[in-house]
Amino acid sequence: MIKAKITNLLMILILQFAADALAGQTSLVGGSGGQQTVIMDCGSNAFMVGVSATGGKDGTFGFNLVRRIKFTCQTFNGTTPGASTTQTVEAVAAKAATVSVSSDSRSCPSGAVIEDLDLYAGNFIDRLAGFGCLTSSATHPNVSMNIGGDGGTRSGLTCPATEGLFKVEARVGDAIDSLRGFCRSFGSLANESIPTQILATVSPKPSFAAPVKILPGASKNFQFTISSAASTPQASVGITGETDLLGGAKLNPPALKLELINPSGSVVVSKIFSDVKSGIIQSVKFGFNVNGNWKLRVTNLKKDIGAVDIMTFSAFIL
């Protein structure tokens, strides 16, 4: 039971984090301060493939933060890398690291591009813990770094599926206050896992900030595309939902039916869930053996009172 709750919580956090990324742009990480914007741009047909950074305190009693950062760029013809690399301009804090200095420079494996930065941040960028890379064959090697201190909350610049970073904007003052990334397509979604294909294409995309409401007795279709079908392993698709406040919220938990509909319009899996708990994923499992547009139809089985808010859409393999 505890393991199931932890798994559901992690999935919700991952899904919400992914939902925050807009197409072509990551969420902003860090605070709202800074006196200038530094644009680190690789230019057209190029991607970020490496990072150089320095962190530390600006004095004995200062905060241990990331103080300098820049990126290595490489042009690509499709997913084929060019022969040479270049460097972006550098975002430099006004107060330099003089105590507990940490510095490192790392790169993705040859032919891969950066798809996310692993950061810790609060009002400033506290630490760069590494970055994830994306290869043309849709593998995702990680590169570890340890620049800066132990403060902040874990967050990151995360591109949508099959996209890589090509530009990062920094707000800079005495420290590096915030970072925001910009992404462009790299590789094919068909090379990604079935859950990644589902999450990258699902519409609508519910979130805690913008839930999808289903009135009593009504249904809602969540459509997604499978581009490289695979009957094994089976993948689970599902949602989290709760009754809206006007329907009594926790006093009137949802009753839902989930139906998975294949591209020909046939229902291949159907399951009813009663007394649905808030934050717990309700899902159906299937081997997605046909390419095309699939649907997960969610029906609110309440007849009179109890509109349901769908908070997240999930896809995973256990």
Side-chain angles (χ1 to χ4, degrees):
M1 180 65 72
I2 293 175
K3 182 178 180 181
K5 288 183 177 179
I6 292 173
T7 299
N8 277 284
L9 178 59
L10 287 173
M11 283 301 305
I12 289 170
L13 290 173
I14 291 168
L15 291 167
Q16 181 59 31
F17 186 65
D20 287 340
L22 302 174
Q25 180 176 305
T26 75
S27 56
L28 182 140
V29 172
S32 57
Q35 283 77 55
Q36 63 172 321
T37 299
V38 178
I39 300 175
M40 295 168 281
D41 191 345
C42 288
S44 60
N45 302 318
F47 292 89
M48 292 174 167
V49 297
V51 185
S52 299
T54 298
K57 301 178 181 180
D58 62 340
T60 303
F61 301 105
F63 294 108
N64 194 344
L65 307 169
V66 176
R67 303 282 174 172
R68 308 173 71 104
I69 188 168
K70 65 179 179 180
F71 296 88
T72 301
C73 304
Q74 191 165 23
T75 57
F76 281 78
N77 181 6
T79 58
T80 302
S84 60
T85 60
T86 58
Q87 299 288 315
T88 66
V89 298
E90 188 172 35
V92 182
K95 293 187 176 180
T98 58
V99 178
S100 302
V101 177
S102 53
S103 185
D104 200 359
S105 181
R106 303 272 178 162
S107 296
C108 287
S110 178
V113 303
I114 296 175
E115 64 177 352
D116 66 78
L117 292 183
D118 187 5
L119 302 166
Y120 287 77
N123 290 326
F124 309 104
I125 304 299
D126 291 82
R127 180 155 68 100
L128 170 62
F131 51 93
C133 303
L134 170 65
T135 71
S136 60
S137 57
T139 59
H140 305 271
N142 292 313
V143 179
S144 296
M145 300 181 76
N146 188 17
I147 306 299
D150 297 324
T153 300
R154 192 173 191 177
S155 49
L157 305 187
T158 303
C159 290
T162 68
E163 293 189 17
L165 282 170
F166 72 93
K167 180 173 72 173
V168 172
E169 290 185 354
R171 285 291 293 169
V172 177
D174 288 343
I176 297 177
D177 294 76
S178 66
L179 296 171
R180 186 193 299 274
F182 296 82
C183 313
R184 58 169 58 115
S185 295
F186 182 85
S188 170
L189 190 60
N191 292 330
E192 296 284 352
S193 68
I194 295 294
T196 298
Q197 293 177 46
I198 294 171
L199 292 175
T201 59
V202 66
S203 179
K205 293 186 178 182
S207 68
F208 292 104
V212 173
K213 188 178 294 292
I214 305 176
L215 297 176
S219 299
K220 184 70 177 182
N221 288 331
F222 295 86
Q223 182 171 298
F224 53 89
T225 302
I226 300 297
S227 3
S228 54
S231 59
T232 57
Q234 291 188 332
S236 295
V237 293
I239 50 87
T240 63
E242 60 184 42
T243 306
D244 69 4
L245 291 175
L246 296 178
K250 293 182 180 179
L251 297 178
N252 183 26
L256 303 171
K257 180 166 72 171
L258 269 59
E259 297 169 285
L260 186 63
I261 303 171
N262 68 15
S264 67
S266 300
V267 175
V268 294
V269 182
S270 179
K271 191 172 182 180
I272 290 175
F273 301 87
S274 59
D275 193 23
V276 172
K277 299 295 188 298
S278 176
I280 303 299
I281 296 174
Q282 316 300 321
S283 64
V284 293
K285 182 185 288 188
F286 193 72
F288 291 86
N289 53 356
V290 177
N291 288 340
N293 294 324
W294 292 69
K295 296 175 184 177
L296 181 69
R297 182 163 61 207
V298 182
T299 301
N300 183 354
L301 297 179
K302 298 287 186 180
K303 298 301 182 184
D304 300 311
I305 300 174
V308 64
D309 288 335
I310 305 301
M311 316 299 284
T312 67
F313 184 96
S314 67
F316 53 94
I317 296 173
L318 293 178

